[in-house]
Amino acid sequence: FALKIAIFSALLRFAMYYVFPQRVSEGQESDVPVGSGKMFDAIAANYDRTNTILSLGMHADWRREMIDALNLKAGESVLDAGTGTADVAIMLAQRLKSLNNQGDIPPNSVIGVDPSQGMLSIGREKVARAGLSDAILLLHGDVQDLNTSLPDSATFDAITMAFAIRNVPNRTLAIQQLASRLRPGGRLAILELQS
């Protein structure tokens, strides 16, 4: 497993410098902050395909392991922070549906938040194709200030964040925001390639 992560990490670094055409050279100023929604808007169209190719499909297994670790129960609600193109959100809704004997799950059982409108647009298409539009709500927002996208009263049984924390400028603030949205006994799972 550690070797898979090391290989994926090396391939991801290669992609960030050579595959994604909208890169900024070292030392060059940019009006697009690293990790911002605008940065991911620029790479949204190629993001899923590139991740799959570079990880040899392993990223799906790692996401599944993260979801397994949550030990979800029927009827729970989940926030997917940094949802991107909604891969984790879809997997979460499918898991909740399977826990409910493939029956319907409450509307908006999974909420995904991401700063990139481009990634969310692709995510909404994928959610619709999966037939999960009622189960998943995707919102534009920043994990460093969840109040911009979620009502103050919104809390969750579990929160996930996959391959996104490294792009957050203030990680401490982001973790505090996520923790404040967990219900008592809630679980937080963060999947990342590096610390």
Side-chain angles (χ1 to χ4, degrees):
F1 183 73
L3 178 60
K4 289 180 185 178
I5 290 176
I7 291 169
F8 183 69
S9 181
L11 291 171
L12 186 63
R13 280 191 211 106
F14 172 83
M16 292 308 290
Y17 291 104
Y18 300 106
V19 176
F20 295 130
Q22 294 84 3
R23 66 184 188 273
V24 175
S25 298
E26 190 172 323
Q28 183 181 7
E29 291 296 318
S30 171
D31 60 347
V32 179
V34 173
S36 70
K38 287 182 181 180
M39 182 187 97
F40 282 94
D41 286 344
I43 63 173
N46 297 317
Y47 186 81
D48 285 341
R49 181 180 52 239
T50 302
N51 274 349
T52 301
I53 291 168
L54 292 177
S55 73
L56 306 174
M58 292 184 290
H59 64 100
D61 292 334
W62 298 334
R63 288 181 172 112
R64 199 170 355 275
E65 287 181 35
M66 177 185 66
I67 292 169
D68 288 346
L70 290 173
N71 194 26
L72 293 173
K73 295 174 183 40
E76 290 192 318
S77 65
V78 186
L79 172 66
D80 183 32
T83 197
T85 61
D87 285 340
V88 172
I90 291 168
M91 293 172 81
L92 288 163
Q94 290 169 336
R95 177 67 56 89
L96 290 170
K97 196 170 180 166
S98 73
L99 292 168
N100 201 32
N101 297 319
Q102 296 303 323
D104 290 335
I105 58 177
N108 304 331
S109 290
V110 177
I111 296 179
V113 174
D114 199 89
S116 168
Q117 292 285 15
M119 300 284 267
L120 289 170
S121 178
I122 292 168
R124 287 184 184 104
E125 292 173 12
K126 290 166 62 175
V127 166
R129 280 195 309 270
L132 295 168
S133 295
D134 289 339
I136 300 171
L137 175 64
L138 298 180
L139 301 171
H140 182 253
D142 185 344
V143 71
Q144 298 168 110
D145 185 7
L146 290 172
N147 294 329
T148 61
S149 54
L150 297 173
D152 289 341
S153 60
T155 58
F156 303 89
D157 299 296
I159 298 176
T160 59
M161 189 173 201
F163 309 120
I165 194 72
R166 70 177 175 263
N167 299 310
V168 177
N170 189 334
R171 294 175 188 165
T172 301
L173 180 58
I175 299 294
Q176 290 169 343
Q177 284 283 304
L178 295 174
S180 74
R181 296 307 182 122
L182 279 173
R183 293 181 182 140
R187 288 97 57 212
L188 171 62
I190 296 178
L191 176 62
E192 193 51 82
L193 296 173
Q194 53 197 1
S195 57

